[in-house]
Amino acid sequence: MSDIKIFVTHTPNRDTMRVNNSLLYNVIAGSDFQTKEVPEGVYQDNQGDNISSLNKSYCELTTQYWAWKNMQADYYGFCHYRRFFSFSETKLKETSWGTIEYDYLDQKAMDELAFNEKDMQAYIEKYDFLIAKGVATSCMNAKSVYDHYKKAPELHIEDIELFLKIIDEKYPYLSETARELFDGQTFYPCNMFIAKKEVFEEYSKILFDVLGEFEKRADMSEYSREGYRTTGHLGERMTGIYYMYLKKQGKYRLGELQIALIHNADAETEITQAADGDVVPVVLAANQKYVPILYTCAQSIVEHTSPDRKYEIYVFHTDINADSQKMFADRLNRTNVRFIFVNVSSRVAGYVLQAKQHITTETFYRFLILDILKVYPKVVYLDCDMIICHDVAELYDTDMGNSLIAGALDPDFAGQCNMKNSEMRQYCKNTLGLENPFVYFQAGVLVFNVTEMSKVVTVDKLLEMSDTGIYRFSDQDILNVVCKDRVTYLDMKWNMIFDCDHFRWQKVIKYAPYYILDDYENARKDPYIIHYAGFLKPWMKPDEDFGYVFWDMARKTPYYEQILSGMQHQGGGQNVTVDTVIEARAFKRTRKLLMKIFPQGSGIRRTLGKMYWRILDK
C-alpha cells in the first residue's frame, strides 16, 4: 500500500476545520506569522528547510516547499481547509464556477465525494498525477488564461511576460507549453494536485526555481496585498503548464479531479473535559444581529457573579464574527469568568428548525447541550432577552435529584389554558399529552441534568421532533413533552416574564390558578432574572415593563448607541421589524374585539380560536 500524504493548508491564527482522515496532514502555511497556540496534531511550515516567511507572496506554496524538503511519501497531494478533491467515480453537479459546493463537510457530503481512506487510496494509486479539474475561462468572463490574468484588477500583466521569459531561459522545453496554456481557454486553479514522488520531485524543483528567480527580478514593493500574492498566482499557472507538459509525454497516467468548496469551514469547538474546580457552566445562544442584546445579558451575568466561583459561559452560534467575540473576551472575561464561542453550524445542518412568531431559530440550540457539554453533569441555559439580577451559581446549585430539568412554571401558558373553553388547554392535552396544563414550565431559564437527560433522549431525536412543525412554542413544548413528570420547579423569581405590551398580566396571567398568580406577583417584587419574553422588548419600545432595568444595564455596554439606533429601525438587532410589531398589535386588537362580541363557550368563538392558532403557527 502506497504512503499517501495529502497536505491541507490552513491560514495562520484562524481555527479552521480539520478532517479526521489518516491521509490528510494539516499544515499552517506561513507559520512564521502564527501568534496563537497551534492546535494539537497540526504541522507548521517553518520547521526544517522552509520558506514560511515568504507566505505573503507564495501563499499556500510555502506548504508545498516544506513538504518537498522535509516529508517522505510515495504520493504528495495539496488542497485547502475549505477546498477538497472529489474521489467519486460519478461526476457530481457543479456550479457555473466549476466547483461542487456544500454548506458543511458533513457525513453526507463526504459519502458523495468518496472522501474516505479506502476510496481515496484506490483512486490515487491508479494515477501518476492528478490535478484540480480545469475551469473554462468563459466562466470567468475571459477569452483566455492570459486575458483572465490581464483583467484581474490587482494583478499586473507584465509579470506574465517576466514569468515566460524566465521559463524560456531556464526550462526552454516548457516554453511552447507555457504559451499554449496562456493562449488557451482552460485554467487549472488553486495549486491543487496529487503526484507520485518522482513527478512531484521534478515539478517542485522547476516550480521553486522559476518562482525564486521571479522574486529576484520583480519589483512588487508598491503592489496591493492581493497583488503581492503574485508569486502564488503564478504557481497556479505553473501547475497547469506542467500538467499539459506531462500530457505531451504520453507516458504518464493523468487525471482531473472535481473540487468541492465548503462554505462553512470554521473548526468546531470540542469540549473534551470539564473545567477544573467549582465551575458553573452557562449556555447562551444568539446570532450576529443579536450581539448587542446578547452582550447586555452577558454583562448582567458577569456583574452578579461571585468571586468564590468560576463561570464558563458558552455562546452557541452559527455566525458571530471574530471582532464581536473579541469584544466579549476583552471586556467581560475575568479571572473567574470566561466566554467560549461554539459554532454549531454543522451540528444543526439538515434540520429545518423553523421557530414560530417572534421566537428565533437559536432557541433550538439548547438541545445541543446534551452533546457539546456532556462532560458536565449539569448546565444552566439562559435565553438572551434577559437581565440577570442574581448570581446564577445559586441557580446551578439547585438540588434536582433524578429530575431531567429544572424550570419555572409558565404563568402566561397557565392563564391561556385556564380561560373558559380554552383552545390552548385542548392543545396541551391532545398534542403535548399533558393532562394537567398547570405543570407546564417556561424554557427561557433551565438547568439541564445532562447525566439523566442523556439516558432518556438524544439530540437527534429532539431535533427530529422540532422538524415535525406541530409544536406552537417550538423547543419549549418539546422539552415539556420529553421531561414530563421529571421536573424540578424553580421559584418564579428565576424566570419572571415581563408584562409584554402592558397586556399579559391583567389580560392573560390573571386567569391562571390563584397560586400561580400569587407566585408571579411575588416574583415581580424581587426578580432574580427578568425575562423579556414576547413580541415587544424594551429595546423596541423603551417604556415596556421593567424596561428601565434593561436600559440601566445597556448604558454600561459598548453597544448602547447601536441599540438606540436599532430601536429606530429594526427592533434593536432582533429579527423582528417595526412592521411586525405593528401587525402583531393590530392582530391582538382584532382578537380582543372578537372576544367581546362572541361569548365564552360559543361555537363561533371556538372556531375563531382555532383559526387564531393556525395563523400563529404559520
Side-chain angles (χ1 to χ4, degrees), residues 245-263:
Y245 168 74
L246 293 178
K247 267 188 175 181
K248 291 182 178 182
Q249 305 310 299
K251 61 180 181 180
Y252 296 99
R253 300 171 299 166
L254 308 175
E256 298 185 18
L257 294 171
Q258 289 181 281
I259 296 177
L261 175 64
I262 314 303
H263 290 293

PDB file of all heavy atoms in Angstrom, residues 245-263:
ATOM      1  N   TYR A 245       2.383  19.658 -20.034  1.00  0.00           N
ATOM      2  CA  TYR A 245       3.665  19.095 -20.481  1.00  0.00           C
ATOM      3  C   TYR A 245       3.668  17.569 -20.303  1.00  0.00           C
ATOM      4  O   TYR A 245       4.100  16.818 -21.195  1.00  0.00           O
ATOM      5  CB  TYR A 245       4.811  19.744 -19.704  1.00  0.00           C
ATOM      6  CG  TYR A 245       6.135  19.045 -19.864  1.00  0.00           C
ATOM      7  CD1 TYR A 245       6.869  19.159 -21.048  1.00  0.00           C
ATOM      8  CD2 TYR A 245       6.651  18.259 -18.827  1.00  0.00           C
ATOM      9  CE1 TYR A 245       8.096  18.506 -21.201  1.00  0.00           C
ATOM     10  CE2 TYR A 245       7.868  17.603 -18.967  1.00  0.00           C
ATOM     11  CZ  TYR A 245       8.580  17.732 -20.157  1.00  0.00           C
ATOM     12  OH  TYR A 245       9.778  17.078 -20.294  1.00  0.00           O
ATOM     13  N   LEU A 246       3.177  17.095 -19.146  1.00  0.00           N
ATOM     14  CA  LEU A 246       3.108  15.654 -18.904  1.00  0.00           C
ATOM     15  C   LEU A 246       2.206  14.965 -19.920  1.00  0.00           C
ATOM     16  O   LEU A 246       2.491  13.842 -20.369  1.00  0.00           O
ATOM     17  CB  LEU A 246       2.610  15.368 -17.486  1.00  0.00           C
ATOM     18  CG  LEU A 246       3.518  15.769 -16.327  1.00  0.00           C
ATOM     19  CD1 LEU A 246       2.852  15.450 -14.996  1.00  0.00           C
ATOM     20  CD2 LEU A 246       4.876  15.076 -16.413  1.00  0.00           C
ATOM     21  N   LYS A 247       1.122  15.630 -20.282  1.00  0.00           N
ATOM     22  CA  LYS A 247       0.216  15.079 -21.289  1.00  0.00           C
ATOM     23  C   LYS A 247       0.960  14.798 -22.596  1.00  0.00           C
ATOM     24  O   LYS A 247       0.770  13.761 -23.239  1.00  0.00           O
ATOM     25  CB  LYS A 247      -0.929  16.074 -21.557  1.00  0.00           C
ATOM     26  CG  LYS A 247      -2.180  15.879 -20.737  1.00  0.00           C
ATOM     27  CD  LYS A 247      -3.268  16.816 -21.262  1.00  0.00           C
ATOM     28  CE  LYS A 247      -4.572  16.572 -20.540  1.00  0.00           C
ATOM     29  NZ  LYS A 247      -5.638  17.466 -21.064  1.00  0.00           N
ATOM     30  N   LYS A 248       1.791  15.748 -22.995  1.00  0.00           N
ATOM     31  CA  LYS A 248       2.523  15.612 -24.260  1.00  0.00           C
ATOM     32  C   LYS A 248       3.515  14.436 -24.235  1.00  0.00           C
ATOM     33  O   LYS A 248       3.851  13.872 -25.287  1.00  0.00           O
ATOM     34  CB  LYS A 248       3.279  16.902 -24.567  1.00  0.00           C
ATOM     35  CG  LYS A 248       2.388  18.076 -24.928  1.00  0.00           C
ATOM     36  CD  LYS A 248       3.234  19.293 -25.260  1.00  0.00           C
ATOM     37  CE  LYS A 248       2.386  20.481 -25.682  1.00  0.00           C
ATOM     38  NZ  LYS A 248       3.211  21.656 -26.040  1.00  0.00           N
ATOM     39  N   GLN A 249       3.992  14.072 -23.037  1.00  0.00           N
ATOM     40  CA  GLN A 249       4.970  12.987 -22.948  1.00  0.00           C
ATOM     41  C   GLN A 249       4.337  11.638 -23.282  1.00  0.00           C
ATOM     42  O   GLN A 249       5.011  10.734 -23.765  1.00  0.00           O
ATOM     43  CB  GLN A 249       5.589  12.931 -21.545  1.00  0.00           C
ATOM     44  CG  GLN A 249       6.213  14.230 -21.076  1.00  0.00           C
ATOM     45  CD  GLN A 249       7.159  14.828 -22.095  1.00  0.00           C
ATOM     46  OE1 GLN A 249       8.153  14.217 -22.463  1.00  0.00           O
ATOM     47  NE2 GLN A 249       6.836  16.024 -22.566  1.00  0.00           N
ATOM     48  N   GLY A 250       3.035  11.515 -22.988  1.00  0.00           N
ATOM     49  CA  GLY A 250       2.307  10.298 -23.335  1.00  0.00           C
ATOM     50  C   GLY A 250       2.667   9.075 -22.528  1.00  0.00           C
ATOM     51  O   GLY A 250       2.290   7.951 -22.882  1.00  0.00           O
ATOM     52  N   LYS A 251       3.386   9.217 -21.439  1.00  0.00           N
ATOM     53  CA  LYS A 251       3.815   8.051 -20.654  1.00  0.00           C
ATOM     54  C   LYS A 251       3.330   8.079 -19.203  1.00  0.00           C
ATOM     55  O   LYS A 251       3.683   7.190 -18.410  1.00  0.00           O
ATOM     56  CB  LYS A 251       5.337   7.951 -20.683  1.00  0.00           C
ATOM     57  CG  LYS A 251       6.061   9.147 -20.092  1.00  0.00           C
ATOM     58  CD  LYS A 251       7.573   8.954 -20.178  1.00  0.00           C
ATOM     59  CE  LYS A 251       8.306  10.158 -19.552  1.00  0.00           C
ATOM     60  NZ  LYS A 251       9.779   9.982 -19.621  1.00  0.00           N
ATOM     61  N   TYR A 252       2.546   9.075 -18.881  1.00  0.00           N
ATOM     62  CA  TYR A 252       2.057   9.200 -17.502  1.00  0.00           C
ATOM     63  C   TYR A 252       0.549   8.940 -17.424  1.00  0.00           C
ATOM     64  O   TYR A 252      -0.197   9.250 -18.360  1.00  0.00           O
ATOM     65  CB  TYR A 252       2.362  10.598 -16.949  1.00  0.00           C
ATOM     66  CG  TYR A 252       3.836  10.896 -16.836  1.00  0.00           C
ATOM     67  CD1 TYR A 252       4.492  11.634 -17.815  1.00  0.00           C
ATOM     68  CD2 TYR A 252       4.569  10.415 -15.754  1.00  0.00           C
ATOM     69  CE1 TYR A 252       5.859  11.915 -17.714  1.00  0.00           C
ATOM     70  CE2 TYR A 252       5.927  10.684 -15.647  1.00  0.00           C
ATOM     71  CZ  TYR A 252       6.566  11.426 -16.627  1.00  0.00           C
ATOM     72  OH  TYR A 252       7.901  11.682 -16.528  1.00  0.00           O
ATOM     73  N   ARG A 253       0.137   8.402 -16.301  1.00  0.00           N
ATOM     74  CA  ARG A 253      -1.292   8.202 -16.033  1.00  0.00           C
ATOM     75  C   ARG A 253      -1.803   9.499 -15.383  1.00  0.00           C
ATOM     76  O   ARG A 253      -1.443   9.809 -14.256  1.00  0.00           O
ATOM     77  CB  ARG A 253      -1.500   7.010 -15.108  1.00  0.00           C
ATOM     78  CG  ARG A 253      -0.973   5.686 -15.662  1.00  0.00           C
ATOM     79  CD  ARG A 253      -1.007   4.604 -14.602  1.00  0.00           C
ATOM     80  NE  ARG A 253      -0.163   4.950 -13.447  1.00  0.00           N
ATOM     81  CZ  ARG A 253      -0.214   4.336 -12.271  1.00  0.00           C
ATOM     82  NH1 ARG A 253      -1.065   3.341 -12.074  1.00  0.00           N
ATOM     83  NH2 ARG A 253       0.585   4.695 -11.288  1.00  0.00           N
ATOM     84  N   LEU A 254      -2.629  10.209 -16.110  1.00  0.00           N
ATOM     85  CA  LEU A 254      -3.058  11.542 -15.681  1.00  0.00           C
ATOM     86  C   LEU A 254      -4.563  11.597 -15.480  1.00  0.00           C
ATOM     87  O   LEU A 254      -5.318  10.846 -16.114  1.00  0.00           O
ATOM     88  CB  LEU A 254      -2.641  12.590 -16.724  1.00  0.00           C
ATOM     89  CG  LEU A 254      -1.174  12.591 -17.146  1.00  0.00           C
ATOM     90  CD1 LEU A 254      -0.953  13.603 -18.267  1.00  0.00           C
ATOM     91  CD2 LEU A 254      -0.274  12.906 -15.955  1.00  0.00           C
ATOM     92  N   GLY A 255      -5.011  12.499 -14.610  1.00  0.00           N
ATOM     93  CA  GLY A 255      -6.445  12.664 -14.387  1.00  0.00           C
ATOM     94  C   GLY A 255      -6.766  14.015 -13.779  1.00  0.00           C
ATOM     95  O   GLY A 255      -5.874  14.704 -13.269  1.00  0.00           O
ATOM     96  N   GLU A 256      -8.029  14.382 -13.869  1.00  0.00           N
ATOM     97  CA  GLU A 256      -8.510  15.632 -13.275  1.00  0.00           C
ATOM     98  C   GLU A 256      -9.593  15.315 -12.251  1.00  0.00           C
ATOM     99  O   GLU A 256     -10.473  14.487 -12.502  1.00  0.00           O
ATOM    100  CB  GLU A 256      -9.047  16.569 -14.363  1.00  0.00           C
ATOM    101  CG  GLU A 256      -7.986  16.986 -15.365  1.00  0.00           C
ATOM    102  CD  GLU A 256      -8.487  18.012 -16.385  1.00  0.00           C
ATOM    103  OE1 GLU A 256      -9.533  18.660 -16.112  1.00  0.00           O
ATOM    104  OE2 GLU A 256      -7.835  18.167 -17.431  1.00  0.00           O
ATOM    105  N   LEU A 257      -9.527  15.965 -11.124  1.00  0.00           N
ATOM    106  CA  LEU A 257     -10.474  15.754 -10.026  1.00  0.00           C
ATOM    107  C   LEU A 257     -11.338  16.989  -9.821  1.00  0.00           C
ATOM    108  O   LEU A 257     -10.841  18.116  -9.855  1.00  0.00           O
ATOM    109  CB  LEU A 257      -9.720  15.450  -8.728  1.00  0.00           C
ATOM    110  CG  LEU A 257      -8.937  14.139  -8.664  1.00  0.00           C
ATOM    111  CD1 LEU A 257      -8.086  14.102  -7.397  1.00  0.00           C
ATOM    112  CD2 LEU A 257      -9.888  12.950  -8.697  1.00  0.00           C
ATOM    113  N   GLN A 258     -12.623  16.762  -9.586  1.00  0.00           N
ATOM    114  CA  GLN A 258     -13.503  17.876  -9.246  1.00  0.00           C
ATOM    115  C   GLN A 258     -13.120  18.454  -7.887  1.00  0.00           C
ATOM    116  O   GLN A 258     -12.605  17.751  -7.007  1.00  0.00           O
ATOM    117  CB  GLN A 258     -14.962  17.412  -9.209  1.00  0.00           C
ATOM    118  CG  GLN A 258     -15.560  17.082 -10.559  1.00  0.00           C
ATOM    119  CD  GLN A 258     -17.007  16.653 -10.424  1.00  0.00           C
ATOM    120  OE1 GLN A 258     -17.294  15.514 -10.059  1.00  0.00           O
ATOM    121  NE2 GLN A 258     -17.931  17.568 -10.721  1.00  0.00           N
ATOM    122  N   ILE A 259     -13.378  19.735  -7.724  1.00  0.00           N
ATOM    123  CA  ILE A 259     -13.109  20.415  -6.450  1.00  0.00           C
ATOM    124  C   ILE A 259     -14.416  20.602  -5.693  1.00  0.00           C
ATOM    125  O   ILE A 259     -15.426  21.030  -6.262  1.00  0.00           O
ATOM    126  CB  ILE A 259     -12.471  21.796  -6.675  1.00  0.00           C
ATOM    127  CG1 ILE A 259     -11.106  21.657  -7.339  1.00  0.00           C
ATOM    128  CG2 ILE A 259     -12.321  22.542  -5.350  1.00  0.00           C
ATOM    129  CD1 ILE A 259     -10.454  22.995  -7.657  1.00  0.00           C
ATOM    130  N   ALA A 260     -14.390  20.294  -4.396  1.00  0.00           N
ATOM    131  CA  ALA A 260     -15.527  20.574  -3.515  1.00  0.00           C
ATOM    132  C   ALA A 260     -15.204  21.800  -2.668  1.00  0.00           C
ATOM    133  O   ALA A 260     -14.173  21.842  -1.994  1.00  0.00           O
ATOM    134  CB  ALA A 260     -15.808  19.384  -2.615  1.00  0.00           C
ATOM    135  N   LEU A 261     -16.074  22.807  -2.728  1.00  0.00           N
ATOM    136  CA  LEU A 261     -15.901  24.030  -1.945  1.00  0.00           C
ATOM    137  C   LEU A 261     -16.842  23.986  -0.747  1.00  0.00           C
ATOM    138  O   LEU A 261     -18.053  23.815  -0.911  1.00  0.00           O
ATOM    139  CB  LEU A 261     -16.193  25.264  -2.806  1.00  0.00           C
ATOM    140  CG  LEU A 261     -16.179  26.611  -2.092  1.00  0.00           C
ATOM    141  CD1 LEU A 261     -14.797  26.918  -1.554  1.00  0.00           C
ATOM    142  CD2 LEU A 261     -16.657  27.715  -3.023  1.00  0.00           C
ATOM    143  N   ILE A 262     -16.279  24.131   0.451  1.00  0.00           N
ATOM    144  CA  ILE A 262     -17.064  24.082   1.686  1.00  0.00           C
ATOM    145  C   ILE A 262     -17.260  25.510   2.198  1.00  0.00           C
ATOM    146  O   ILE A 262     -16.289  26.199   2.511  1.00  0.00           O
ATOM    147  CB  ILE A 262     -16.358  23.235   2.759  1.00  0.00           C
ATOM    148  CG1 ILE A 262     -15.857  21.914   2.160  1.00  0.00           C
ATOM    149  CG2 ILE A 262     -17.294  23.012   3.940  1.00  0.00           C
ATOM    150  CD1 ILE A 262     -16.919  21.063   1.516  1.00  0.00           C
ATOM    151  N   HIS A 263     -18.513  25.962   2.275  1.00  0.00           N
ATOM    152  CA  HIS A 263     -18.786  27.357   2.643  1.00  0.00           C
ATOM    153  C   HIS A 263     -18.491  27.630   4.123  1.00  0.00           C
ATOM    154  O   HIS A 263     -17.985  28.696   4.463  1.00  0.00           O
ATOM    155  CB  HIS A 263     -20.239  27.714   2.328  1.00  0.00           C
ATOM    156  CG  HIS A 263     -20.519  27.792   0.862  1.00  0.00           C
ATOM    157  ND1 HIS A 263     -19.972  28.761   0.060  1.00  0.00           N
ATOM    158  CD2 HIS A 263     -21.276  27.012   0.048  1.00  0.00           C
ATOM    159  CE1 HIS A 263     -20.382  28.593  -1.185  1.00  0.00           C
ATOM    160  NE2 HIS A 263     -21.170  27.534  -1.227  1.00  0.00           N
TER     161      HIS A 263
END
